[in-house]
Amino acid sequence: MSGKDRIEIFPSRMAQTIMKARLKGAQTGRNLLKKKSDALTLRFRQILKKIIETKMLMGEVMREAAFSLAEAKFTAGDFSTTVIQNVNKAQVKIRAKKDNVAGVTLPVFEHYHEGTDSYELTGLARGGEQLAKLKRNYAKAVELLVELASLQTSFVTLDEAIKITNRRVNAIEHVIIPRIERTLAYIITELDEREREEFYRFVGIGS
Amino acid sequence: MAGRGKLIAVIGDEDTVTGFLLGGIGELNKNRQPNFLVVEKDTTINEIEDTFRQFLNRDDIGIILINQYIAEMVRHALDAHQRSIPAVLEIPSKEHPYDAAKDSILRRARGMFTAEDLR
């Protein structure tokens, strides 16, 4: 990246005013972006904490669900093949909604039920109660997992947004603003020199 | 974007898949393709990777649940997935309890904050 360049512009009083305005604009822009980055980072940390909590909770819920599965298998026999063969339509589906944080749209999942239970008749022979408990446990696990998925997608999206915003802040701070400042300095030196030249010309003519 | 329902897919061992199917997430789409994969002892890593990529490319799948020990086998495919949807969640299995150190998502944040700091 070139370090010594400035904007090519004819040095005049008007150019100086324009450059000053541009500098002000760049500084305001940089401050606003910095605030946005801070807000996003704050939300990011909150979400990360929530994710870790929820993941630990999920570990426990899954353990309980697996346990009830083992119980059900014990009473009802092996129903895995029947379950897998009888797949038809899903009763639990998810919708993607949009949430907004500091100008960044985050996708959020919401689960909803549709249709009837395909497995109503499974376990009619034996183990019906364990199977019902098992279904409830896994339904609970699914709800928790959908929430976790929402947190995770927000996390990933925020991560990207924060990186982009920080890149822009750095670009303004280390490239744009120095360039404008250098241009301003150049204009001021040129104007000063011109003034001195003119003065010298006047003094020269006088004598 | 709200309204069009998306599915939850599962890649796991027989018990995990059975459990979630009973929870009501299983579906066969128009081409009789399932949204789940039962991983057995003889399932090859290529098969798992292929199914995972297929699920990623299907636009009617919003979440992919995968047992953590299977995720380990296709870790490179998981890490290559940068989009936010479908969300990939690593879940524990009966033999392998959840290990936060191996989770793809948490590792992304490792550079910024460690899990222990926030606990």
Side-chain angles (χ1 to χ4, degrees):
Chain A
M1 268 213 303
S2 52
K4 295 293 163 208
D5 71 335
R6 51 180 164 74
I7 306 171
E8 290 304 327
I9 183 171
F10 184 72
S12 66
R13 292 259 171 242
M14 192 170 78
Q16 187 183 17
T17 328
I18 294 178
M19 279 300 129
K20 276 202 188 141
R22 236 196 257 190
L23 181 65
K24 191 88 198 302
Q27 281 166 339
T28 318
R30 181 200 153 274
N31 291 339
L32 283 174
L33 276 180
K34 198 91 212 306
K35 282 205 192 105
K36 173 170 172 174
S37 168
D38 288 342
L40 291 179
T41 311
L42 181 68
R43 186 62 185 252
F44 188 70
R45 293 187 77 121
Q46 285 173 344
I47 290 186
L48 181 60
K49 188 155 162 224
K50 193 103 197 290
I51 286 186
I52 296 179
E53 277 173 22
T54 317
K55 287 230 166 188
M56 293 304 156
L57 182 63
M58 185 254 311
E60 288 172 26
V61 169
M62 288 296 302
R63 229 191 1 249
E64 201 185 306
F67 187 63
S68 64
L69 179 68
E71 270 183 358
K73 268 182 146 170
F74 184 64
T75 6
D78 189 18
F79 45 78
S80 322
T81 17
T82 351
V83 168
I84 294 179
Q85 302 299 351
N86 283 342
V87 172
N88 190 13
K89 280 253 151 253
Q91 292 94 45
V92 181
K93 292 197 191 168
I94 45 176
R95 262 191 288 258
K97 282 213 184 135
K98 299 274 177 193
D99 193 19
N100 187 308
V101 167
V104 178
T105 46
L106 301 176
V108 170
F109 289 121
E110 185 190 54
H111 72 301
Y112 65 97
H113 292 267
E114 184 181 63
T116 53
D117 187 4
S118 324
Y119 300 111
E120 242 170 333
L121 301 176
T122 325
L124 208 55
R126 357 158 240 177
E129 190 188 312
Q130 277 79 7
L131 216 72
K133 185 167 126 190
L134 165 60
K135 279 195 242 172
R136 268 199 308 276
N137 278 344
Y138 269 97
K140 204 168 63 174
V142 165
E143 280 177 26
L144 188 66
L145 286 169
V146 167
E147 198 187 306
L148 190 54
S150 292
L151 285 175
Q152 225 169 266
T153 43
S154 306
F155 180 86
V156 169
T157 318
L158 268 184
D159 192 23
E160 285 298 316
I162 290 181
K163 285 203 184 105
I164 292 178
T165 315
N166 283 343
R167 238 179 269 151
R168 286 198 195 129
V169 170
N170 288 339
I172 296 185
E173 201 170 312
H174 297 286
V175 177
I176 311 266
I177 289 188
R179 205 194 294 174
I180 298 183
E181 280 170 347
R182 259 180 254 123
T183 315
L184 219 42
Y186 163 71
I187 295 179
I188 291 177
T189 41
E190 284 297 303
L191 287 177
D192 279 345
E193 211 178 294
R194 226 183 288 161
E195 244 182 72
R196 270 181 265 132
E197 271 179 18
E198 287 185 13
F199 185 69
Y200 180 72
R201 239 186 285 140
F202 279 139
V203 170
I205 292 174
S207 68
Chain B
M1 236 204 129
R4 233 171 0 137
K6 289 192 187 269
L7 298 172
I8 304 175
V10 185
I11 301 179
D13 57 19
E14 197 183 30
D15 285 342
T16 311
V17 175
T18 311
F20 277 110
L21 287 180
L22 281 170
I25 65 166
E27 173 158 317
L28 295 174
N29 75 354
K30 291 191 293 285
N31 308 327
R32 311 261 338 147
Q33 280 168 335
N35 65 334
F36 56 91
L37 173 70
V38 178
V39 171
E40 279 145 18
K41 282 187 276 297
D42 55 358
T43 318
T44 65
I45 297 194
N46 272 336
E47 257 182 88
I48 304 176
E49 215 183 298
D50 276 340
T51 318
F52 181 69
R53 297 236 168 124
Q54 265 173 44
F55 285 169
L56 283 182
N57 288 334
R58 276 172 67 167
D59 59 358
D60 58 349
I61 291 186
I63 302 180
I64 302 179
L65 303 173
I66 181 168
N67 279 133
Q68 198 166 40
Y69 78 97
I70 303 178
E72 277 299 298
M73 292 193 250
V74 291
R75 183 58 68 195
H76 51 282
L78 252 73
D79 283 341
H81 170 56
Q82 301 276 5
R83 280 180 295 138
S84 51
I85 295 183
V88 177
L89 286 179
E90 299 182 26
I91 51 182
S93 61
K94 250 189 1 222
E95 291 93 43
H96 306 86
Y98 181 70
D99 181 0
K102 298 206 199 112
D103 195 320
S104 272
I105 300 287
L106 290 184
R107 264 196 291 151
R108 266 175 87 153
R110 194 133 295 230
M112 295 203 217
F113 326 99
T114 56
E116 286 73 38
D117 282 345
L118 295 170
R119 210 166 286 159

